[in-house]
Amino acid sequence: MALPDRLVGWLTPYLAGRPVTHGLAEGLRGLILDGRLLPEVRLPSERALAEALGLSRATVTSAFDVLRGEGLLRSRPGDGTRIVLPSHRPYADPDGVARRGDAIDLTAAVLPAGDAVDEAMRHAAFQLSPFLTGAGVHPSGLDELRAVIADRYTRRGLPTTGEQVLITSGALHGWNLLLGAVASPGAHILVEQPTYPSVVDAVLAHRLRPLPLPVDEDGWDVSQLSSNRAALAHLTFDGHNPTGRWASDAERGAVLAALPRSTLVVCDETLVDFPHQAVTGTPTAALTGRTVVTLGSMSKTFWPGLRVGWIRGPVGLVSRIAAVRTGVDLGPAVVGQLAARHLLDRADQLLPARRRVVAARRSALLEALDTADWPHQRPGGGLSVWVDLGGISSTDLARLAPEHGVRVTPGPRFTVTGTHDRHLRLPFVLPPATLADAVRRLSEAATRAGRARRPSRQAPYSSWVV
Ligand SMILES: Cc1ncc(COP(=O)(O)O)c(C=O)c1O
């Protein structure tokens, strides 16, 4: 859908009350601060917008004047009216981890490891002796693990050989290796907004430029992509972190069709093992004729502490990354790879129980949110829900929540532009009773929190988010 049509859909509900100027300014302000309208995007002309909304031009001019006064719009002769936001990135607080204390920790979307990981580590220790006579260095990863991963893709409908798989120290490491091997200095990189924060942190650490692609309750919004020349696009169609969206095969096709052929598509499947509905399970790479690189990980399925993930792509690209990689690291520890192989060999037996645990925790959290009357997008997959705080600042809430015995990561941490302050990610990885208790505590804290307005500059972000 084109941007003017989207604007009509988004803004019409705001025009019912009086005065209309106020409603229009309020609606546009919300879209900007919510990150649905991106910085530097040009709005339709005042005349065109007035016509599309059935308003007088003077009404639109007055509403734009209000937002120009607030510094959220910029109009220049010959350049039209564009969205403006203070350019900054929420900072990472390196002490965040140490200060977590005893509070209920809702900052991590990670399940406990469980007995299967414990058993796999012991098994790996027994398997280690043949490797001890060699150097123990395998820059592409252990062949036996690459083969098991390739076989899993083949069974999902994406024929794959071991040579197409490179073992990494997690999906994030895979993303970093790709950025290092493929992106030229200063290149633009398309990232979802909101997204998993380290995806953006990695782009910035490589001195590349993140371009946000909005993901909202209607899905992936490609209507503002027009001038996009991204070298790579990072997409999480399978259990999007933080919203929990799960794209249909048709939605994936539509997003890929909107991206220039020169953009290398990277599909992050870190959360692929947790759909909450019937899905085809076909990897995105098997749905398109274009090159798609897939990132995989043991972290959400089994345990982030294993630090094992992988890149799956064309043999040429995988070899290129393997060659560049030796300047960064020489491959993950053998013992972790052996444990990963043992777990993947048994994944079909282990996963149903893990999914049942997630389903029970998801239901408990959604029920608690319904009781608290907090709107949220029903997650189609993944391990978290994206809550709409209805105008309360999640930055303020995150600051106050520890006083009520709970820790959360505020919405802006999941963005490039510092927006989404009325949103909050809540993971459903803790026991049901704990989740219900956490929502009760958060509701108490919310009564003290201020209203979400401007992108916030000094929020209590933790240094890492999983
Ligand atoms: C979408 C996404 N990608 C990557 C990661 C990091 O995964 P890994 O631990 O495999 O580096 C996460 C962790 O939360 C994630 O949500």
Side-chain angles (χ1 to χ4, degrees):
M1 202 190 288
L3 182 59
D5 298 330
R6 281 195 167 252
L7 281 173
V8 171
W10 281 332
L11 291 172
T12 302
Y14 289 89
L15 307 179
R18 299 278 152 202
V20 178
T21 307
H22 178 81
L24 180 57
E26 179 77 21
L28 276 170
R29 186 187 296 112
L31 292 173
I32 296 169
L33 296 185
D34 209 19
R36 284 195 241 197
L37 284 174
L38 298 176
E40 290 307 321
V41 159
R42 185 165 30 205
L43 289 178
S45 69
E46 291 173 12
R47 184 192 302 274
L49 190 59
E51 221 164 79
L53 292 170
L55 301 173
S56 74
R57 182 169 171 188
T59 302
V60 175
T61 305
S62 308
F64 276 22
D65 279 344
V66 171
L67 298 176
R68 278 188 279 258
E70 293 176 9
L72 292 173
L73 291 183
R74 182 191 68 225
S75 302
R76 283 195 193 129
D79 189 45
T81 299
R82 292 183 186 268
I83 311 294
V84 188
L85 274 178
S87 66
H88 75 285
R89 170 121 176 95
Y91 76 97
D93 168 6
D95 298 328
V97 180
R99 289 197 271 101
R100 276 169 199 214
D102 294 334
I104 300 174
D105 187 357
L106 294 185
T107 63
V110 170
L111 292 163
D115 295 344
V117 174
D118 193 4
E119 195 265 324
M121 290 307 278
R122 289 172 208 284
H123 176 87
F126 281 116
Q127 298 285 305
L128 202 54
S129 43
F131 292 90
L132 297 177
T133 52
V137 170
H138 306 263
S140 296
L142 293 185
D143 286 343
E144 39 276 78
L145 177 58
R146 298 168 81 195
V148 172
I149 292 166
D151 181 53
R152 287 176 67 77
Y153 280 117
T154 304
R155 283 195 280 135
R156 287 174 59 204
L158 179 64
T160 303
T161 63
E163 280 177 295
Q164 289 178 265
V165 177
L166 179 91
I167 308 300
T168 64
S169 300
L172 177 60
H173 180 224
W175 176 232
N176 273 278
L177 287 175
L178 257 174
L179 290 173
V182 176
S184 311
H188 287 103
I189 311 294
L190 196 69
V191 296
E192 295 157 326
Q193 173 157 288
T195 189
Y196 168 57
S198 293
V199 167
V200 182
D201 291 346
V203 171
L204 296 173
H206 281 265
R207 299 187 185 277
L208 300 165
R209 297 180 213 181
L211 284 177
L213 170 70
V215 180
D216 58 26
E217 57 273 21
D218 296 325
W220 285 256
D221 176 9
V222 291
S223 70
Q224 299 170 69
L225 272 180
S226 52
S227 61
N228 154 48
R229 289 272 168 275
L232 287 92
H234 182 278
L235 298 165
T236 319
F237 289 135
D238 310 84
H240 176 252
N241 184 0
T243 67
R245 282 201 72 86
W246 194 288
S248 66
D249 290 358
E251 255 177 308
R252 294 168 202 234
V255 175
L256 296 198
L259 296 177
R261 297 296 290 192
S262 54
T263 300
L264 178 64
V265 173
V266 181
C267 286
D268 186 331
E269 288 194 348
T270 298
L271 287 138
V272 72
D273 286 320
F274 298 103
H276 306 314
Q277 58 203 8
V279 294
T280 64
T282 310
T284 309
L287 299 173
T288 170
R290 65 191 287 166
T291 300
V292 170
V293 176
T294 309
L295 299 177
S297 174
M298 299 295 288
S299 290
K300 301 290 182 179
T301 310
F302 293 107
W303 190 43
L306 283 171
R307 302 315 304 142
V308 174
W310 55 89
I311 298 173
R312 186 251 176 229
V315 173
L317 181 61
V318 166
S319 318
R320 193 165 132 208
I321 298 168
V324 173
R325 169 196 211 151
T326 52
V328 180
D329 72 296
L330 301 173
V334 171
V335 68
Q337 294 187 69
L338 290 172
R341 187 204 151 163
H342 188 68
L343 287 164
L344 289 176
D345 273 342
R346 283 154 190 73
D348 292 347
Q349 292 95 60
L350 296 171
L351 268 172
R354 215 139 164 86
R355 289 192 182 121
R356 276 196 298 278
V357 168
V358 170
R361 295 177 179 196
R362 173 181 178 271
S363 303
L365 181 59
L366 297 187
E367 202 181 302
L369 290 172
D370 286 339
T371 308
D373 217 8
W374 278 5
H376 50 271
Q377 298 176 27
R378 279 198 109 65
L383 297 174
S384 60
V385 54
W386 192 230
V387 177
D388 184 341
L389 295 173
I392 291 169
S393 163
S394 68
T395 304
D396 230 18
L397 185 58
R399 186 176 56 77
L400 293 167
E403 293 172 27
H404 295 261
V406 53
R407 293 185 192 278
V408 289
T409 311
R413 181 72 179 103
F414 297 86
T415 72
V416 177
T417 51
T419 49
H420 295 58
D421 193 27
R422 71 183 171 93
H423 284 100
L424 185 67
R425 181 188 79 164
L426 295 183
F428 37 84
V429 292
L430 298 176
T434 311
L435 290 172
D437 191 18
V439 172
R440 198 182 42 70
R441 294 173 189 218
L442 280 174
S443 301
E444 281 168 18
T447 59
R448 296 171 54 211
R451 294 194 66 73
R453 284 192 70 83
R454 303 205 153 267
S456 48
R457 284 166 189 281
Q458 292 194 334
Y461 303 104
S462 66
S463 57
W464 50 261
V465 179
V466 285

